[in-house]
Amino acid sequence: MLIDLHSHTTASDGALGAAALVELARREGIGVLGVTDHDTVGGLDEAMGAAAGLGIEVLPGVEISSYYGRQEVHLLGYFVDHRFPALLERLAAWRDDRVGRLHRMVERLRRYDIQLDADRIAARAGGSVGRPHVAMALVEGGHVATVEEAFDRFLAEGKPAYVARERVPVAEAIALVRAAAGLPVLAHPGIYGNDGMIPDLVRDGLAGIEVLHREHSDAAVTRYRRLAARYDLVCTGGSDFHGLAGAKSQRLGHPSLPEEDLRALRARHGASP
Ligand code: AMP
Ligand code: ZN
Ligand code: FE
Ligand code: FE
């Protein structure tokens, strides 16, 4: 049985709706699927409903876009109460901020004679709108050949159409996940190149780190296992599957988390105050 604790649906920037994602998980032999959309829990009810009949467990989650200083970091929240009003309210505010940012990105692209319709992009995104939606509009408009090229030329940090979101401090995201009865886990730390943030985040209430991720080398996995042991953090992992054509290769269920890590995650959740 495969265990994949990191995936995205059309509630944020995934290509598959929640029910279709769960159906794919069944075909791929996944027993436990974490659904972790960016700044929204909007896919969870559908995912859990679809899973019920298929013998799959959906582990409710969210991936909050936040900042450690000027460094963007993603904070996963597992087992959050996805009806907790304060959580829903904060996530809605951050999604609104994403819409404002979308308009600013579209504005910047006009300088390159690229006319995109921000309202249409937002409407098609449906939930939590992000750079991948802009990238797809750039591909469809024939301005770039691939999503990857859209990021490389325009949308990646430091590129001309990049606009930062509201800089939500990661400590605030950790506190919100805790308030919603969830376990805060640092997503894909290998991407940030700053392990020094980890002791700081532990002081802020971090419960785990995502040790297994497609962007982590074997050496990174070993390093994060050690750091997790040193700071008494649980280890999570998953594919970060988006299902987008043309995106970097992502396969649901790969990497898969060992069952003993999932057991430790559940135990930590049961023990948390
Ligand atoms: P946003 O949340 O709007 O800042 O968009 C971030 C998302 O864009 C990430 O979660 C990835 O899914 C995607 N992304 C980031 N960088 C790239 C890239 N170079 N190529 C393709 N997708 C990317
Ligand atoms: Zn994404
Ligand atoms: Fe992420
Ligand atoms: Fe993700």
Side-chain angles (χ1 to χ4, degrees):
M1 174 189 85
L2 299 176
I3 297 167
D4 187 339
L5 299 189
H6 192 155
S7 67
H8 295 271
T9 76
T10 49
S12 64
D13 55 3
L16 298 179
L21 179 73
V22 168
E23 174 57 33
L24 176 63
R26 188 193 61 77
R27 288 202 303 276
E28 296 282 4
I30 290 161
V32 181
L33 178 70
V35 176
T36 52
D37 276 308
H38 301 288
D39 296 334
T40 181
V41 290
L44 292 179
D45 277 326
E46 182 181 324
M48 290 193 276
L54 295 174
I56 291 179
E57 179 185 0
V58 164
L59 209 147
V62 63
E63 182 175 21
I64 297 174
S65 298
S66 64
Y67 283 82
Y68 179 80
R70 292 186 68 83
Q71 165 80 59
E72 180 173 349
V73 302
H74 291 176
L75 197 272
L76 294 160
Y78 289 111
F79 303 109
V80 284
D81 172 358
H82 67 289
R83 295 197 177 81
F84 183 62
L87 176 69
L88 297 178
E89 193 181 300
R90 291 308 290 148
L91 294 178
W94 293 334
R95 289 197 300 278
D96 282 349
D97 175 64
R98 283 172 169 277
V99 174
R101 170 210 195 209
L102 165 68
H103 282 269
R104 289 170 62 203
M105 288 193 287
V106 164
E107 186 67 41
R108 289 201 180 186
L109 285 165
R110 275 201 213 127
R111 293 180 206 161
Y112 297 82
D113 263 341
I114 295 173
Q115 318 281 342
L116 299 181
D117 183 342
D119 291 324
R120 185 152 170 269
I121 293 171
R124 282 182 57 183
S128 186
V129 68
R131 286 179 288 163
H133 301 104
V134 179
M136 284 183 279
L138 285 169
V139 173
E140 279 173 25
H143 305 288
V144 295
T146 63
V147 164
E148 211 47 55
E149 187 190 339
F151 274 89
D152 289 348
R153 282 179 57 196
F154 298 112
L155 299 173
E157 195 169 349
K159 297 300 159 83
Y162 174 79
V163 177
R165 285 181 305 267
E166 176 193 341
R167 289 206 163 83
V168 177
V170 60
E172 187 181 328
I174 290 171
L176 182 64
V177 167
R178 289 280 187 191
L183 281 182
V185 171
L186 184 64
H188 42 63
I191 291 178
Y192 313 135
N194 176 12
D195 293 348
M197 73 173 69
I198 291 173
D200 253 10
L201 301 187
V202 169
R203 278 187 287 275
D204 290 331
L206 191 72
I209 49 179
E210 187 174 49
V211 168
L212 298 174
H213 187 273
R214 61 182 148 80
E215 299 284 336
H216 286 179
S217 65
D218 291 349
V221 171
T222 304
R223 189 168 81 246
Y224 290 120
R225 285 254 181 229
R226 279 206 199 105
L227 278 171
R230 183 186 312 163
Y231 293 105
D232 191 27
L233 297 165
V234 292
C235 299
T236 72
S239 65
D240 206 352
F241 181 80
H242 287 73
L244 299 175
K248 276 184 253 174
S249 73
Q250 302 173 7
R251 184 164 174 212
L252 199 61
H254 302 269
S256 172
L257 187 72
E259 276 185 57
E260 61 192 81
D261 291 315
L262 179 61
R263 268 197 297 276
L265 179 70
R266 290 193 205 281
R268 187 66 61 97
H269 177 237
S272 70

